[in-house]
């Protein structure tokens, strides 16, 4: 049960990180330094989301 809770919370966290990265990436698209930072944040969120989605898909909840 604890693993399922961890997986769902991690998945939601990954989606939130990726979503906020995309939001601020678009908001600050004229500042190239900010674009690099928010692109990295978006990739990190996507990796977390995909990793936990695969974990849920393979092992189930």
């Amino acid at each position: 049960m604890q693993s399922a809770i961890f997986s769902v919370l991690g998945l939601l966290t990954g989606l939130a990180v990726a979503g906020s990265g995309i939001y601020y990436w678009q908001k600050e698209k004229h500042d190239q330094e900010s674009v690099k930072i928010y692109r990295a944040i978006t990739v990190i969120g996507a990796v977390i989301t995909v990793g936990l989605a695969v974990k849920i898909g393979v092992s189930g909840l």
Side-chain angles (χ1 to χ4, degrees):
M1 182 67 177
Q2 186 177 4
S3 177
I5 293 171
F6 171 74
S7 296
V8 171
L9 287 177
L11 188 64
L12 292 175
T13 301
L15 287 171
V17 170
S20 64
I22 291 170
Y23 173 77
Y24 286 107
W25 182 0
Q26 291 301 314
K27 188 174 180 181
E28 301 288 332
K29 63 185 170 188
H30 302 293
D31 181 13
Q32 290 304 312
E33 191 66 27
S34 294
V35 167
K36 289 182 200 175
I37 293 168
Y38 294 128
R39 187 180 299 143
I41 290 171
T42 303
V43 169
I44 290 168
V47 167
I48 292 170
T49 302
V50 169
L52 288 170
V54 168
K55 179 183 181 284
I56 290 170
V58 169
S59 64
L61 287 176

